[in-house]
């Protein structure tokens, strides 16, 4: 939010990050950090070894 508030301030619209967060929340916008999850490879897929086709 601080970055968005700063960008808006450079365009002439001064709004605090807290107010911006509240207004976006009221409008239905949500923001979550991406969650990185290691997913295991499907067992039916062969592992690629880098060999040329037909070798």
């Amino acid at each position: 939010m601080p970055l968005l508030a700063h960008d808006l301030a450079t365009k002439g619209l001064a709004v605090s990050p807290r107010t911006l967060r509240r207004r976006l929340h009221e409008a239905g916008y949500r923001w979550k950090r991406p969650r990185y999850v290691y997913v295991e490879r499907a067992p039916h897929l062969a592992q690629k070894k880098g060999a040329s086709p037909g070798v």
Side-chain angles (χ1 to χ4, degrees):
M1 288 303 157
L3 185 60
L4 181 57
H6 179 270
D7 187 51
L8 291 173
T10 60
K11 295 179 172 135
L13 182 63
V15 60
S16 73
R18 184 174 181 212
T19 302
L20 187 58
R21 184 178 296 115
R22 282 186 288 139
R23 296 297 179 237
L24 288 174
H25 187 77
E26 289 170 2
Y29 287 95
R30 301 291 184 265
W31 180 81
K32 290 186 177 183
R33 293 178 188 268
R35 211 176 266 186
Y36 298 104
V37 178
Y38 290 106
V39 178
E40 294 201 15
R41 187 173 186 85
H44 68 279
L45 297 175
Q47 183 176 0
K48 295 182 181 182
K49 297 290 186 180
S52 317
V55 174

